[in-house]
Amino acid sequence: MSGSEPDVLVVGAGVCGLTTAICLAEAGLNVAIRTDRPPLETTSTAAGAIWGPHLVEDSERVSGWGASTLATLLELAGQPGTGVRVLTGTEAWREPGELPAWSAMLTGAARCDAGELPAGFVAGWRYTAPVVDMPVYLGYLLDRFRRADGRLDIAPVGSLGGLAAPAVVNCTGVGARRLVPDPEVLPIRGQVVIVSNPGVSEFFVGTGDATAELTYLFPHGDTVLLGGTEQRGSWSTEPDPGTARRILTDCTAAEPRLAGATVVGHRVGLRPFRPRVRLEAERPAPGRLVIHNYGHGGAGVTLSWGCAREVAGLLR
């Protein structure tokens, strides 16, 4: 670490690390982020991303963190340069189901008729929610952190115990499996394809089952992000060509206008799944405070601001 010792050192520069650092820095603390890779190289860059709990525990605390984050994302959607927009779209199911409990937090939630859905889907619902262009959003978060006099240091972290700060916040995502170590953390690999936008303005999410993979598409202006995969236990961060072809085929079946769209990029991220989000403080030694904030699964964006505010509360 260069410069003076910070009040708080946040480890990790994904969406949860950046958001936590912002909340602490804007509260007047001297905050630094330590990370082995910059924000645009983290798992967060590969996220869709839409507000909605996914691959995370179903609990009251998750609902509370989600509601807090939803309110903030709706505020950011009205500001240029954040990468956050409010879009309407459809979630489709391959077998009958019920609207999730969190649908009550969103406007315009209504069931679809089967005839409104692509082939292979039997039920679903339409709703309106914040959708986030992650590269733009991560850039916005980093700029906001720096405006609050925060410092970003790119350097590997071998141990939480060796970090020079009275308070450390662990936002290392799937890296917590090694760093803590925490064997309950499991990577769930996600691969996406970025294509030119042929005029798509609504999102689509098609749930997977034993016969088909999760399918989703999120328009971000001139491009559309297509997914996806949920490969439990896979640590590979290299795009797989066969998976990319399958994603293109499935998304085109759901939205025919995507046929022939130009591929402009591929991204892979490892969702940090844990049976229960770890957000708690511990004192490993006198005068040392470590707050853990990881294990958000596929809901990092959805829970980020709510969890960051809880971290700030624990520090207070």
Side-chain angles (χ1 to χ4, degrees):
M1 293 284 299
S2 59
S4 60
E5 178 183 290
D7 300 323
V8 186
L9 181 62
V10 175
V11 185
V15 67
C16 290
L18 284 170
T19 307
T20 299
I22 287 169
C23 284
L24 299 175
E26 291 183 347
L29 294 169
N30 180 357
V31 183
I33 294 174
R34 177 86 168 266
T35 176
D36 63 352
R37 63 189 65 186
L40 290 180
E41 294 180 15
T42 65
T43 279
S44 295
T45 305
I50 187 170
W51 183 92
H54 182 60
L55 296 174
V56 71
E57 70 189 74
D58 181 7
S59 66
E60 289 187 8
R61 65 184 195 145
V62 162
S63 296
W65 295 330
S68 176
T69 303
L70 175 61
T72 300
L73 291 177
L74 290 173
E75 293 175 3
L76 293 177
Q79 302 176 26
T82 64
V84 184
R85 294 183 300 149
V86 175
L87 298 181
T88 298
T90 300
E91 179 179 306
W93 312 321
R94 298 181 188 276
E95 56 187 36
E98 298 297 325
L99 269 64
W102 50 264
S103 64
M105 301 186 201
L106 300 171
T107 59
R111 279 187 170 275
C112 299
D113 294 328
E116 301 177 75
L117 302 171
F121 298 96
V122 300
W125 60 300
R126 285 179 60 78
Y127 62 102
T128 299
V131 173
V132 184
D133 184 336
M134 289 306 296
V136 176
Y137 185 55
L138 292 171
Y140 159 77
L141 293 177
L142 181 57
D143 288 344
R144 180 167 165 177
F145 172 61
R146 284 173 166 158
R147 288 198 302 271
D149 295 325
R151 187 173 81 243
L152 177 72
D153 293 322
I154 309 295
V157 176
S159 167
L160 293 176
L163 297 173
V168 172
V169 185
N170 173 20
C171 297
T172 54
V174 75
R177 182 178 176 92
R178 172 192 61 83
L179 191 63
V180 174
D182 185 346
E184 288 195 279
V185 177
L186 177 76
I188 300 183
R189 182 179 181 274
Q191 178 171 328
V192 300
V193 181
I194 314 300
V195 301
S196 58
N197 191 345
V200 177
S201 60
E202 294 196 354
F203 66 82
F204 176 83
V205 179
T207 59
D209 63 10
T211 66
E213 298 275 2
L214 172 70
T215 301
Y216 54 81
L217 58 96
F218 298 108
H220 295 305
D222 293 336
T223 62
V224 187
L225 181 145
L226 312 180
T229 62
E230 292 181 347
Q231 297 169 332
R232 291 176 179 262
S234 173
W235 289 90
S236 173
T237 57
E238 291 298 317
D240 174 69
T243 300
R245 288 191 293 271
R246 192 267 302 162
I247 289 171
L248 287 165
T249 297
D250 290 352
C251 288
T252 300
E255 174 48 81
R257 284 180 294 177
L258 292 169
T262 302
V263 174
V264 297
H266 301 269
R267 299 174 193 161
V268 176
L270 305 179
R271 304 176 183 94
F273 176 77
R274 193 174 187 272
R276 181 175 168 84
V277 175
R278 189 177 186 193
L279 204 168
E280 61 185 3
E282 63 177 2
R283 288 195 175 275
R288 294 273 299 167
L289 176 67
V290 175
I291 299 178
H292 298 285
N293 180 22
Y294 66 85
H296 303 88
V301 172
T302 298
L303 307 181
S304 55
W305 287 100
C307 289
R309 289 173 180 127
E310 182 153 331
V311 169
L314 289 173
L315 273 173
R316 284 194 295 269

